[in-house]
Amino acid sequence: MEENMKLATVEDTVEYHLFLIPDEPRDPEKHKEILQKYIERIMTQFAPMLVPYIWQNQPFNLKYKPGKGDVPAHMFGMTKFGDNIEDEWFIVYVVKQITKEFPELVARIEDNDGEFLLIEAADFLPKWLDPDNSANRVFFHHGELCIIPVPRKPGAVSWLPSTPPTIPQALNIISTHPEEILASESIRAAVNRRIRGYPEKTQASLHRARCFLPAGIVAVLKQRPRLVAAGVQAFYLRDPTDLQACRVFKTFLPETRIMTLVTFTKCLYAQLVQQRFVPDRRSGYKMPPPSHPQYRAHELGMKLAHGFEILCSECSPHFSDSRKSFMTTSPLWAGFLESLKKNDYFEGLIEGSAQYQARLEMAKNYFQLSVNRPESSLAMSPGEEILTLLQTVPFDIEELKKEEANLPPEDDDQWLDLSPDQLDQLLQEAAGKTEAEPISKEEQNYDLSQVSESMKAFISKVSTHKGAELPRETSEAPITFDAESFLNYFDKILGPSPHESDSDDLAEEDFECLDSDDDLDLKTQETGEEASVKGTLNNLKSYMAQMDQELAHTSIGKSFTTQKQMEPLSQTTNNSDEEDSGAGGSVMTPVDIDLNLVSNILESYSSQAGLAGPASNLLQSMGVQLPDNTDHRPTSKPTQD
């Protein structure tokens, strides 16, 4: 049935290509052998940072890709990073470092959005660079970002093609003119800022939490910590068909549960925590009350157990024994293991010790997935890998229970509940802004006139077909406003001259109804029409004044704050306006536009209760930062000075 089918989603994927330069003609078999040796050297050298990393979907990997058309044979990798964008940027860091460690290699990287490195540095790109001409122009070489430029005139620079270069042309340009194609410092800084902190940042992206899990899952995760990602994804993307397998657990029985410490990425942990789920009564997974001190561990364990049960339920009970065997029979394994030892992967651990064996198992897993990756038709699914481990790796529940008594503390998950200030800081860092210094009390005297001035500047801006332009910097020069031109346009709208009006404008009868003189002389029609227009404008002003006077005594009119009366009405208005107002000598002070504007914006900002909203978003885009509302009393309009 359609409701039981999983919704197909587009996977976020990143592809990376490594080319060897100079690209001289070589025997294809010899070239393949050279590239495969490079793959082994790269994966071995970067194993210490790649092996312990927990990937959202797929790990970093390299394989030989034969030449096709204009694309020569090279090393190729593809990774589905799904919801964890940090996987993609970690790969950017790894690829950048590979070209730094191996200067004879050139790399290009793109995802399903295209040249995402250019998107990251969009504010600093030259005007000539756009998606239509960026193909085969962006590369990493010697650990630096390179962009092959376009000549200003065809043939102006002999070594620059006027059309997007082919891969062989690009490799030749990079090898012969490395300095001329170096990307600008601002572009390189934008990309480097995004990958700043790696590889240490990978540890900061992890989160360790206690989980009340079946012993079988504890044993599996001790051997394959990365399988936690598959378990979380299976639960996170579950459908009704998946849950049918969890009505009665067959693989991971709830009565075997023990407390353990599980390492997640922050993305995986958030996906598991944020899901609301009540287990089936028949499953045997009973939850303690939310007030229980270990409720979070029980809930996490219950959800993760459902994910692992779903993975195993998708496997055929008779999957091939040949697929159960680990791929260490490959001739590459011995050389790979020896290279790991030379690169101090085991960090002096005694061979045969528990820690040594744990690292060895991680290396085997890494080798199978990234170095000697089998064809997809032969690759084991996560569920098959879990079942294989359960059959081949013995575990003692009593021993695991002894470890339960000496568990290290779990990590604090307060990062899930970000305050508005922390969220703003993260957004600023993501936008590439420098970290703001703490604001002193003296600096917290905010000038609210800046709010009204920014709004005036925004309204006065002339937008283009690309949309409204915001005055992002407070230091921006004042926006000029031609009041005379504006009034001329206004006059044209209210009453065009007879020569400018067309048949679709106001009919002549409409002007007659508004004009007080009904006896127009037909012989002086042109003069009369001009007088009619002037009379119309005068009467419109009179009617608008009367409307203002009437509205002033309504609840709507009283909701506006008016300016203080500084002068008698006779000094500011003429006698005819007073007579038309019909207020019996009462003074109607004008509305204080600026004060009402600021008041309404502050009310909107206060109603956001610290969350994102239209007021804060608009003001922030204009460079106006409002302080937090520390007054918890009902919002009132600011008093007038």
Side-chain angles (χ1 to χ4, degrees), residues 116-342:
F116 69 97
L117 297 179
L118 297 183
I119 297 174
E120 186 67 23
D123 293 337
F124 311 102
L125 297 181
K127 293 182 178 180
W128 60 263
L129 189 58
D130 57 49
D132 294 332
N133 62 10
S134 62
N136 299 335
R137 294 189 183 276
V138 185
F139 294 87
F140 276 114
H141 182 49
H142 287 184
E144 296 291 349
L145 188 66
C146 301
I147 300 178
I148 299 177
V150 172
R152 295 184 178 180
K153 296 181 180 179
V157 182
S158 59
W159 52 273
L160 281 179
S162 57
T163 58
T166 62
I167 292 295
Q169 286 177 326
L171 296 180
N172 181 61
I173 292 172
I174 292 171
S175 62
T176 56
H177 301 85
E179 298 297 331
E180 289 86 345
I181 62 171
L182 195 64
S184 68
E185 185 176 352
S186 56
I187 294 176
R188 286 180 286 145
V191 175
N192 290 336
R193 187 164 47 240
R194 193 62 179 82
I195 59 177
R196 184 172 51 199
Y198 287 112
E200 294 79 8
K201 191 177 178 180
T202 58
Q203 291 299 315
S205 68
L206 299 179
H207 182 85
R208 298 163 185 86
R210 292 190 175 186
C211 298
F212 197 47
L213 282 170
I217 300 179
V218 176
V220 167
L221 291 179
K222 287 174 72 69
Q223 297 291 323
R224 301 281 192 275
R226 66 168 180 83
L227 286 175
V228 67
V232 172
Q233 291 295 295
F235 174 77
Y236 187 71
L237 302 174
R238 66 192 181 278
D239 61 16
T241 302
D242 294 332
L243 292 179
Q244 289 179 3
C246 298
R247 291 176 180 174
V248 179
F249 276 65
K250 298 178 181 179
T251 307
F252 302 108
L253 305 180
E255 55 267 22
T256 64
R257 287 179 292 176
I258 58 175
M259 192 68 69
T260 188
L261 194 71
V262 177
T263 300
F264 302 87
T265 62
K266 288 183 177 179
C267 179
L268 292 170
Y269 179 77
Q271 286 181 326
L272 203 61
V273 168
Q274 300 297 338
Q275 288 275 302
R276 294 183 179 181
F277 180 72
V278 178
D280 194 292
R281 294 181 180 180
R282 294 165 287 183
S283 67
Y285 279 84
K286 297 180 180 179
M287 297 293 295
S291 59
H292 192 279
Q294 299 294 337
Y295 175 79
R296 173 60 63 86
H298 281 256
E299 184 185 38
L300 289 173
M302 177 269 296
K303 294 177 180 178
L304 196 55
H306 277 70
F308 272 76
E309 187 74 18
I310 290 171
L311 289 175
C312 293
S313 68
E314 295 173 346
C315 301
S316 170
H318 306 293
F319 60 91
S320 173
D321 291 339
S322 62
R323 292 164 68 179
K324 298 181 187 179
S325 61
F326 194 75
M327 297 297 295
T328 54
T329 56
S330 168
L332 294 175
W333 168 248
F336 180 75
L337 182 60
E338 189 64 28
S339 298
L340 288 180
K341 293 178 180 178
K342 289 180 180 180

